[in-house]
Amino acid sequence: MNPKSTQQAIGDASATAFKIMHRGSAKQKLMGMRCKKYIKLACQGVISPEKLPLTPRADHFHGLHTFYQIAIWSQLHDTPELDPVDWGWMHKDNKLHPVTTDIDIALDISHLIDMV
């Protein structure tokens, strides 16, 4: 673990790890893998969301959370103080909570409703 890693480098490494965990190659795209798995599960009749690969942004934040926790738990003295907000955490109710994604979960169709 390199304590001077950037958020982008950690996110990229996390994506590669998740691709391999889901029996893919490093060159595949997570959304493509997710779509194929979704279709396979749909053909079996049961879609279990926990069996789907993470979305790219959820994977990115999972990597940031993991890096931050390891850095704190291992007390990397060579590392400048890490701000948890920079590593995928948010302050809420005086506690740290993980950010799961930074994009909308569903499409914003409000503009379509206005057209009707």
Side-chain angles (χ1 to χ4, degrees):
M1 184 172 116
N2 182 352
K4 296 179 182 167
S5 295
T6 65
Q7 288 93 341
Q8 187 62 47
I10 296 298
D12 292 347
S14 179
T16 300
F18 269 98
K19 290 173 190 176
I20 292 168
M21 283 175 38
H22 285 278
R23 297 184 178 93
S25 72
K27 293 183 180 183
Q28 285 181 290
K29 298 213 179 274
L30 278 173
M31 285 307 285
M33 293 174 64
R34 187 174 169 82
C35 183
K36 285 181 185 178
K37 184 69 173 187
Y38 181 87
I39 291 169
K40 182 179 177 181
L41 292 172
C43 290
Q44 294 171 352
V46 177
I47 299 172
S48 303
E50 68 273 7
K51 293 184 179 180
L52 295 172
L54 295 174
T55 63
R57 292 307 290 170
D59 169 67
H60 175 82
F61 281 103
H62 181 75
L64 296 183
H65 302 154
T66 303
F67 178 85
Y68 178 78
Q69 288 179 325
I70 291 171
I72 295 303
W73 291 343
S74 63
Q75 299 177 4
L76 296 174
H77 297 294
D78 299 339
T79 308
E81 186 67 31
L82 296 177
D83 183 355
V85 174
D86 293 337
W87 294 95
W89 295 89
M90 64 179 167
H91 293 283
K92 183 179 177 186
D93 300 328
N94 221 14
K95 295 179 184 176
L96 285 176
H97 294 270
V99 174
T100 54
T101 187
D102 59 353
I103 57 174
D104 291 333
I105 295 172
L107 296 174
D108 180 11
I109 61 167
S110 61
H111 63 282
L112 295 176
I113 294 171
D114 291 340
M115 293 171 60
V116 175

